[in-house]
Amino acid sequence: MTDPQTALASEADDVERHACPRCHASSGSPCRSRSGAVAGTYHTGRFTKVPRLAKLLRVPTPADRGPGQPWRPGTPAPAPVDPDTPSADIRIGYARCSSLTQELQSQLDALAGHGIPRDKIFSEKISTRVRVRPQFEAALAAAREIKAHAPHCRVIFTVNEMKRLGRDAAELTALADHLTAHGLVLEMLAGPLQGMYDPSGPGRLLFGFFAAMAETERENIRESTLEGLDAAARKGNHGGRPPVITDDMLHTVLRRRANGETVEGIQPDLLIPTGRRKGHNPSLSSIYRALAEHDKRQAYPDAVEQAHADFAATEQ
């Protein structure tokens, strides 16, 4: 049973969060009478601002406020804090690429540029085909630990793009379940779901949709690679036909384009090293096609690797 004095003090605290429109007592102070003393009750226009007290006829001033004593302004009460309101955002970053030939720095720079300290960014070069990713698990563990020690903070697991998280819809859905269970928020800095994502909210369906789309795109790349390998093998070129744009040429295009040059400006300096058109410049369409294939390999390297593995298995 609640002590009457405790209940009265609680009511007074709630009332004194508001200034009085009648006696002009400031917040944190009891009401005052016309004689300048502490009033025996709070004025109606003041206590009715508190919803749970609005229907009462009177709210007495507690004894510790000194009713009848000379009135003095008190200290304004602090604003109430909703226990569910986070006091701060704490971010844990994760960056991943699939192979040693890919670069992580752009992801690391994006995460750091988003205000995440370097010591809270976890990174690794590992394929999503590997089910156990040590740094990914370490990042999740760090996020869980922070949330456990600071439950009123919003702990945000931040990645550059969705594809850094998992290889298929099942993995991404499992991750969403994990984030929900531990009260974590997911944030993506780029891609179709750029922004904050709360797995427990309506965004869950949208997240699942994009996961399914990513899985479909990966399968399309695998199938198109298989078809290319099969077509080349039928012509006697096992492993694929010699590309018009070699790796060295592609790296040259990527490097010079990164420095601001156009493909049209780079094309005259490229020479085909082998084949019927040896010594000629590759066509612009060949260069753009090679760039598109490069982007696909960068986005879904596992799909290309899997296609080569599947094709090799059929050749045995």
Side-chain angles (χ1 to χ4, degrees):
M1 184 175 179
T2 305
D3 179 70
Q5 290 300 319
T6 301
L8 189 58
S10 175
E11 292 175 354
D13 289 340
D14 289 343
V15 172
E16 290 179 8
R17 295 188 190 281
H18 307 276
C20 182
R22 179 174 174 180
C23 67
H24 305 294
S26 58
S27 61
S29 307
C31 287
R32 58 185 168 188
S33 65
R34 291 181 179 179
S35 63
V38 176
T41 61
Y42 291 99
H43 293 122
T44 304
R46 190 180 191 186
F47 71 73
T48 52
K49 293 182 179 181
V50 181
R52 66 187 181 92
L53 305 178
K55 294 184 178 181
L56 298 181
L57 297 178
R58 61 191 299 272
V59 175
T61 303
D64 64 352
R65 264 65 167 182
Q69 301 295 318
W71 183 90
R72 293 184 179 84
T75 302
V81 177
D82 186 341
D84 294 328
T85 300
S87 58
D89 285 348
I90 302 175
R91 285 178 167 83
I92 295 294
Y94 175 69
R96 181 198 64 80
C97 63
S98 293
S99 65
L100 296 176
T101 58
Q102 291 183 295
E103 58 89 22
L104 272 173
Q105 195 58 48
S106 60
Q107 294 181 54
L108 297 175
D109 290 343
L111 293 169
H114 201 57
I116 305 176
R118 289 288 184 176
D119 62 347
K120 285 187 171 60
I121 298 176
F122 297 77
S123 63
E124 57 193 339
K125 290 191 173 186
I126 190 170
S127 170
T128 51
R129 293 169 62 188
V130 178
R131 292 295 179 180
V132 179
R133 289 169 279 162
Q135 290 302 303
F136 179 69
E137 297 298 334
L140 283 176
R144 292 195 303 268
E145 183 177 359
I146 291 172
K147 185 64 177 179
H149 286 85
H152 297 313
C153 292
R154 186 168 63 166
V155 180
I156 304 168
F157 191 82
T158 304
V159 295
N160 193 49
E161 293 180 89
M162 183 177 65
K163 64 188 178 186
R164 305 303 169 190
L165 294 173
R167 67 190 300 264
D168 53 37
E171 282 190 6
L172 292 169
T173 302
L175 174 62
D177 291 339
H178 184 89
L179 296 174
T180 302
H182 294 280
L184 305 175
V185 174
L186 177 64
E187 180 180 34
M188 287 174 276
L189 304 182
L193 271 180
Q194 180 180 359
M196 293 285 190
Y197 164 69
D198 183 355
S200 62
R204 181 183 181 89
L205 293 177
L206 189 61
F207 186 79
F209 169 76
F210 279 111
M213 291 296 292
E215 190 174 2
T216 300
E217 176 66 11
R218 181 181 288 106
E219 182 60 23
N220 288 341
I221 292 172
R222 189 189 72 84
E223 288 184 0
S224 64
T225 303
L226 271 175
E227 290 171 358
L229 291 171
D230 182 64
R234 291 177 185 276
K235 297 178 181 179
N237 297 320
H238 292 272
R241 66 182 179 182
V244 172
I245 307 298
T246 64
D247 287 343
D248 287 342
M249 293 166 69
L250 179 61
H251 291 157
T252 297
V253 174
L254 292 171
R255 175 176 52 80
R256 291 177 60 176
R257 193 173 63 161
N259 290 331
E261 295 185 60
T262 65
V263 173
E264 288 76 7
I266 301 170
Q267 184 246 5
D269 297 332
L270 302 177
L271 296 176
I272 300 173
T274 60
R276 290 181 302 170
R277 301 192 64 232
K278 179 179 178 180
H280 289 76
N281 303 122
S283 66
L284 288 174
S285 60
S286 294
I287 299 174
Y288 280 116
R289 188 161 50 247
L291 289 172
E293 290 298 321
H294 169 76
D295 290 341
K296 285 184 179 180
R297 289 195 301 271
Q298 289 289 102
Y300 300 102
D302 299 337
V304 178
E305 293 174 13
Q306 186 63 50
H308 280 272
D310 292 345
F311 184 77
T314 64
E315 292 285 278
Q316 294 177 355

